[in-house]
Structure formats: structure tokens, C-alpha cells
Amino acid sequence: MQHEVTYDRIMQTAMGFWASKTLMSAVELGVFDTLASGPLDATVLRLRVGIHERSARDFFDALVALGLLQRDQAGLYSNSREAARFLDRANPNYIGGIIEMFNARLYGFWGSLTEALRTGEPQNEAKSGGDLFANLYRDPVRLEGFLRGMTGITTPVADALVEVFPWKKVNRVVDIGSAQGCVPVRLALAHPHLTASGFDLPEVGPIFARYVAAHGASERVRFIPGDFFQDSLPKADVLIMGMILHDWDLPTKKMLLGKAHASLPHGGSLIVCEMLIDDAREVHLPGLLMSLNMLIETRGGFDFSGADCISWMREIGFSDARVAPLVGAYSAVIATK
Amino acid sequence: MQHEVTYDRIMQTAMGFWASKTLMSAVELGVFDTLASGPLDATVLRLRVGIHERSARDFFDALVALGLLQRDQAGLYSNSREAARFLDRANPNYIGGIIEMFNARLYGFWGSLTEALRTGEPQNEAKSGGDLFANLYRDPVRLEGFLRGMTGITTPVADALVEVFPWKKVNRVVDIGSAQGCVPVRLALAHPHLTASGFDLPEVGPIFARYVAAHGASERVRFIPGDFFQDSLPKADVLIMGMILHDWDLPTKKMLLGKAHASLPHGGSLIVCEMLIDDAREVHLPGLLMSLNMLIETRGGFDFSGADCISWMREIGFSDARVAPLVGAYSAVIATK
């Protein structure tokens, strides 16, 4: 007798951390980098990545079942198309920096989710008196790795942003919290008439300059050092805030929206990009889980729906606010001053 | 410009631990038990389960998006059908004991997967000189919680087993490593002519007796105390080993298959139930990840394919070995002496 209601989905969710951690360990061990130079059999691959014989085949074959590796008739493993594009450190589309950060930090911190829910307090470096951003910005190598990962994640979002807005009428656009400068670079390359800039903390400057130079965009993409808590925002026809607002509590969100409004000309636009929660708050899991990640990572941050963002924008004085889906879990909220 | 190859599946896998941990914390906090007595709004629910205001709605709404809770027009949360059946402690189908064990033990131990892969050594209590089974069997309350969870997981598998074998010709069946006795009870209830017994360590006896009595099967379902390392296996027409072989290294697997062969009459059957890996080792993710879990949890255990099991059974002297799918990720390998 089969049951109509099964526990399959519950157990798949419960065991989801096995697949996550398997992917994280593969990135940590350099499996995808090792295979970037060509297919290898299980023995050579395990010796190159430095793992014990006992579970090497199970590990590699689990990566096959996850669609990250392929194994041919001769038993040679190679990267899948997804892994070759996004998980090989030498590929400009590498997103593994984010996964390394999950592995080194978030997996452990999420182990204290119950405590986070009970106390409302972050469970990251802040718990022992540290600060996520201060820690990140102190170590240039770690910072560049993290920012490279953010760039990998952001590239398809930036490419969608290139398509979704009438850039022809815009002269000057500034990305607030630009990191390496992926968004201004993609915009400048797609729309040669644009002057695109990135605004971020001064420490980001050299990393921004290297990324922009590597993309041959140094002539048209500039870095504007600043701190959006201390300074007013740069003047521009369009301001972009990608994955910035969700880091902060509601008064800070509104303060940032207000600074954007103050810097824009009449008719100028603000574009907010986030993993939006659906307005009914019952479907879009990535946005809801990202909001729990803001609990783990910040003192007051939270994710929000398009309707939430539009209501704050209107309160600040923006008009014509609308949601535009971008790619994957990402959407934009676009408003006019 | 959209990319043909996206990172969506990679990021879904990487972030899978967020959904896992959200479910684990919900079980730990008693969300589903609290809602078993009726729908509650977000405020009452959060006060009952003892969580802070800050992220309560995100937490409950993430559970909605995971299909575990429902929220009605009035904002009242209730258990989904799946959660009501499998995650309410008062429901006989409760599987939360497994999820509590994941939360208290495995989530943390899997954090050391990279070390496990490098060394081939378990990363659980064994790492500090302890032993999983010894620990589990020392504390009767913890043991009963774990065994109840195993029973919840096993019940649909046992029901599938009732259908998949010609029980009409069998008089006596013994389940080796029976835990509470779910399999013999389901078999005895479905086939009144059968004498069904459970074989397990003596510590399990009282828990087995309570479970069997609660199902009104004490007359026909007996407990046989023993240790499959020290003792020979009981005589029976059919022996069952469910999720036993994967705990052990290959010599021990073959020793156990040999003891089963020795105890069966000519024409008797051995039924091995496991989360089998597909023979090509490239599709069935649960079996491959369970095998990595055996790395984390045991000194030599590993999961295997139907073809692997059939070859060992033939080597021992069994004939007519075949694979029969059961339910979800579970299959049986059935062989005749």
C-alpha cells in the first residue's frame, strides 16, 4: 500500500546539506581547476587533489550525479559545461569565490540558525566582536577572492540589466557598492555612449582598477571612492544599488533611498537589484532564505518584496516604480524621480 | 544577452544547506508540534516556539515556500499535509527523529567533509575516541528518539516490501537489525499466516516490545536478542537486512551475507534493502551521498549498487539475485539460497 503523501520532499530538503557540502569540498579541493587541463581517471584525479582512496570514487561520482562532472566510457572524469564555465578558477566567469566563502564561513554560522532565530542576533564574526565587512576589507587577497565571486554571480544579472532599461537616453550611470565594477563595465561595453562609474569604499579602488583594465574599459569606467554612510551619493542620471539594501535595517534602507533621490536629477532613475521575495511571501524561496542569511550575517538586514520596495520608494518621493525580472532569482525595482 | 549555460543549478546546490537548516531548526523549535493543535498567526506562533520578532515571519514564510506550512487569507499558519503526517511528534508516522539527529550531529560533522576525504577517517564521535552506536545505545531516551525516526522512515519501505515478495509461501521471517520492529510488524499485520521476528542488540528489546504492543502484534512478533558479530543469525525462511550492510566494510558485508546464507534453508531468501547506487554510478544521487555519509559516520562503510550486491551474493553461494525497486530512493536486492 503506497501512501498518497510521501516524505520524499521532506527528506530531500533535510539531506540538502550533503549535496551543498560535497560541492563546497570539490571547490575547496580544486577538483574543477584540476580537470580544466583535461580529463583524468579516478586515481590520477584523487592524487592530484590530495584525497584518500577510500571515498574518492563516491565523491567524484556524486559530482557526476550533481551534473558537475562527466565520466566517459574509459572512466575519465571531465568538467561539465556548467562546471567548466563557473567553477574553474581560470575562467573569467568563476563563481567559486562565493562557494569558498560559504564553505569557510556560512556553513558553520548557519549551524547556529536556531540561536539566531531565538535571539535575533547575527551568528557570524559579529558574535565574537568582529565585523563581516571590516574583516573582509582588512585582507586584500581574501577581499579580491570574495569580490571575484560576487562578479561571477553578478555578470548574468548585469547582462540582463543591459537589456531591461532604456540606456539610450542615459549619459551617466553610477553603481553604488560596485565591488570590482562588473555592472559599470558590462553597461559601458554594451552602450558605448555611456559614462559608467562604480562607487565603493576606497579599499576597493585598486581591485576595481585591475578589473576594469583587464576588460579594456579604463577610458570610460571610473572609480568614485566613498562611504554611503558618510558621504552623499554621486550625481548621475541613473543610480544602481545591487544587493545593497538587503544588508541593512529599514531606517538605513530608507536613508539610502533618500540619498539616491537627493542625488538624481528630475527624471533620473534608481534601479534596485535584489533576490526579491514574491509579494504574497509564499513562493520565492531564495529571497526568503537570503533574508534568513541576513539574520545570520547582519544586525538588522532583511530581504523584501517588490511591493515593499515600491512603497518605500514612493514614501521617499519616487514615482513610476515597477518590478522587472532579470535572470534566475534576481529582479530589479526601477523608479523615477 | 542571456547565457545558454547558467549557474542556477550550481547556486541552488551551494545554497541547499540554507533550506536543510531551516527545516532542522523548525523541527528543533517544535513549529510543527505547535501547529498540530490548530492554525496560529505569526505572533502567537513565534511566542509559542520562543523565537525573536526579527526574523520570525521570514522563517515561517520560508517554511511555506518549502511546502511545509500553509498560510491562509487571514494570515494563520498551519501544517501542510506532509508536515502534519511526518513532522508532528504525536503522529505515528513522525520522521523528525532523523532530522533532529541530523541537526544535533550530522550537520556539524559534515562540516569536516574535506578532512574526511583527505584522511579516509570518520568525522563523528569516533574522532574524539567515541563510537556512534555505543553512544546511541547508552542513552535510552536518545535511542528511542532515533529508533522512532528510523521507524518513520522505514514504514513506507516496509509497506512496499509487503507487496514486492511472495509472502504466501513463507512461514518464518526475521528482520536483522530490526530496531523498533517496524518491518516485522507491518509484515505480520499484512500477512496473518506469518511469524515475523526482529533480531537486534539486547538493549533494543524493551523498545521493540513497546512498539509491537502498541500495534497489537505482541502475539505474533517476537524479539530475538543477539549480536551479528558474535552470534549466528536466527533460522528463518526469509531474512531481511535493511540499511545494515552499508554500515560496514567489504569483508564485514561478506561475513554478514555468509551468516545469512548459513542460517537459511535451501530455497530460503535473503532480502537486502538499501538506497542503492545505480549500476553506472552516475544518476542516483541519494545512494552516492549516503555513501559519503558512511565515510563521515563509520570506519569502513560504503553504499553500493545492485550489481555490486548481486556479485557478492553470488560469490557467497546465493542464486537468482535480482533488484526490486521499493519506494522513493529505496530498493531491495532479493536472492535465493
Side-chain angles (χ1 to χ4, degrees), chain A residues 63-137:
Chain A
L63 294 170
V64 171
L66 283 166
L68 300 170
L69 297 184
Q70 292 167 334
R71 182 169 25 75
D72 68 13
Q73 298 288 340
L76 297 178
Y77 292 88
S78 58
N79 287 330
S80 71
R81 289 174 69 208
E82 283 163 80
R85 182 172 180 89
F86 297 111
L87 297 176
D88 164 18
R89 273 180 185 77
N91 191 306
N93 297 296
Y94 183 63
I95 61 170
I98 295 292
I99 296 170
E100 291 171 83
M101 189 276 275
F102 282 11
N103 195 37
R105 300 179 58 255
L106 284 185
Y107 183 87
F109 296 148
W110 268 75
S112 303
L113 176 63
T114 304
E115 184 179 340
L117 290 166
R118 283 185 175 136
T119 62
E121 295 293 326
Q123 301 298 315
N124 64 358
E125 294 84 355
K127 211 172 162 183
S128 46
D131 175 87
L132 159 62
F133 293 109
N135 267 341
L136 212 55
Y137 280 72

Side-chain angles (χ1 to χ4, degrees), chain B residues 152-287:
Chain B
I153 296 288
T154 304
T155 301
V157 182
D159 288 343
L161 205 55
V162 163
E163 298 296 309
V164 88
F165 189 84
W167 294 107
K168 292 239 154 60
K169 304 176 199 164
V170 176
N171 290 314
R172 184 168 158 74
V173 52
V174 180
D175 184 31
I176 306 300
S178 61
Q180 285 190 308
C182 164
V183 170
V185 164
R186 305 301 283 194
L187 284 171
L189 294 178
H191 295 286
H193 70 281
L194 274 182
T195 302
S197 306
F199 176 89
D200 213 317
L201 294 171
E203 295 89 326
V204 179
I207 298 166
F208 185 98
R210 277 196 293 281
Y211 177 84
V212 172
H215 287 78
S218 303
E219 291 297 302
R220 291 178 37 239
V221 177
R222 292 294 159 86
F223 184 72
I224 306 171
D227 177 337
F228 53 50
F229 285 107
Q230 309 294 329
D231 309 317
S232 57
L233 299 185
K235 302 283 180 196
D237 306 319
V238 176
L239 291 175
I240 300 173
M241 289 183 182
M243 306 301 270
I244 300 298
L245 290 184
H246 79 153
D247 284 337
W248 309 101
D249 63 17
L250 187 55
T252 309
K253 282 174 166 72
K254 290 183 180 175
M255 177 278 284
L256 290 170
L257 291 171
K259 283 195 172 183
H261 191 268
S263 285
L264 287 168
H266 187 74
S269 294
L270 171 64
I271 304 178
V272 168
C273 300
E274 296 272 359
M275 276 191 184
L276 292 182
I277 298 169
D278 58 301
D279 290 348
R281 296 176 58 87
E282 57 191 29
V283 175
H284 194 221
L285 188 60

Side-chain angles (χ1 to χ4, degrees), chain B:
Chain B
M1 199 182 69
Q2 302 278 340
H3 296 292
E4 216 185 359
V5 184
T6 74
Y7 57 64
D8 291 354
R9 193 166 56 164
I10 293 173
M11 285 308 294
Q12 278 161 20
T13 303
M15 302 195 313
F17 70 101
W18 293 1
S20 291
K21 196 61 188 59
T22 300
L23 167 55
M24 289 178 204
S25 288
V27 171
E28 180 182 0
L29 289 162
V31 170
F32 308 106
D33 308 320
T34 304
L35 289 173
S37 49
L40 296 173
D41 69 26
T43 304
V44 176
L45 179 55
R46 87 164 178 84
L47 292 171
R48 293 261 179 94
V49 302
I51 66 175
H52 191 275
E53 184 176 12
R54 177 177 168 194
S55 298
R57 277 185 68 217
D58 289 339
F59 178 51
F60 299 144
D61 291 342
L63 295 170
V64 171
L66 282 166
L68 300 170
L69 297 185
Q70 293 166 335
R71 181 168 28 75
D72 68 14
Q73 298 288 339
L76 297 178
Y77 292 89
S78 57
N79 287 329
S80 72
R81 290 174 67 208
E82 283 163 80
R85 183 174 179 88
F86 297 112
L87 297 175
D88 163 18
R89 275 181 184 77
N91 191 306
N93 297 297
Y94 183 64
I95 61 168
I98 294 292
I99 296 170
E100 291 171 84
M101 190 276 275
F102 282 11
N103 195 37
R105 301 180 58 256
L106 284 185
Y107 184 88
F109 296 148
W110 267 75
S112 303
L113 176 64
T114 303
E115 184 179 341
L117 290 166
R118 283 186 176 135
T119 62
E121 295 293 326
Q123 302 297 316
N124 63 359
E125 294 85 354
K127 212 173 164 182
S128 45
D131 176 87
L132 160 62
F133 292 110
N135 267 343
L136 211 55
Y137 280 73
R138 193 176 301 135
D139 175 351
V141 175
R142 197 170 156 189
L143 178 59
E144 186 145 13
F146 176 73
L147 294 179
R148 252 197 93 193
M150 289 300 299
T151 294
I153 296 288
T154 304
T155 301
V157 182
D159 288 343
L161 205 55
V162 163
E163 298 296 309
V164 88
F165 189 84
W167 294 107
K168 292 239 154 60
K169 304 176 199 164
V170 176
N171 290 314
R172 184 168 158 74
V173 52
V174 180
D175 184 31
I176 306 300
S178 61
Q180 285 190 308
C182 164
V183 170
V185 164
R186 305 301 283 194
L187 284 171
L189 294 178
H191 295 286
H193 70 281
L194 274 182
T195 302
S197 306
F199 176 89
D200 213 317
L201 294 171
E203 295 89 326
V204 179
I207 298 166
F208 185 98
R210 277 196 293 281
Y211 177 84
V212 172
H215 287 78
S218 303
E219 291 297 302
R220 291 178 37 239
V221 177
R222 292 294 159 86
F223 184 72
I224 306 171
D227 177 337
F228 53 50
F229 285 107
Q230 309 294 329
D231 309 317
S232 57
L233 299 185
K235 302 283 180 196
D237 306 319
V238 176
L239 291 175
I240 300 173
M241 289 183 182
M243 306 301 270
I244 300 298
L245 290 184
H246 79 153
D247 284 337
W248 309 101
D249 63 17
L250 187 55
T252 309
K253 282 174 166 72
K254 290 183 180 175
M255 177 278 284
L256 290 170
L257 291 171
K259 283 195 172 183
H261 191 268
S263 285
L264 287 168
H266 187 74
S269 294
L270 171 64
I271 304 178
V272 168
C273 300
E274 296 272 359
M275 276 191 184
L276 292 182
I277 298 169
D278 58 301
D279 290 348
R281 296 176 58 87
E282 57 191 29
V283 175
H284 194 221
L285 188 60
L288 288 160
L289 294 177
M290 181 59 89
S291 200
L292 292 179
N293 193 50
M294 292 301 106
L295 166 65
I296 298 288
E297 286 277 50
T298 73
R299 295 220 164 271
F302 62 92
D303 286 69
F304 46 85
S305 68
D308 293 332
C309 190
I310 287 171
S311 78
W312 304 328
M313 286 167 152
R314 286 194 180 138
E315 187 184 323
I316 298 295
F318 285 99
S319 59
D320 296 333
R322 64 184 173 92
V323 173
L326 294 174
V327 63
Y330 297 91
S331 294
V333 187
I334 305 173
T336 312
K337 177 169 173 179

Side-chain angles (χ1 to χ4, degrees), chain A residues 241-259:
Chain A
M241 288 182 182
M243 306 300 271
I244 299 296
L245 289 184
H246 79 153
D247 284 337
W248 309 101
D249 63 17
L250 187 54
T252 309
K253 283 175 165 72
K254 290 184 180 175
M255 178 277 286
L256 291 169
L257 291 171
K259 283 195 173 185

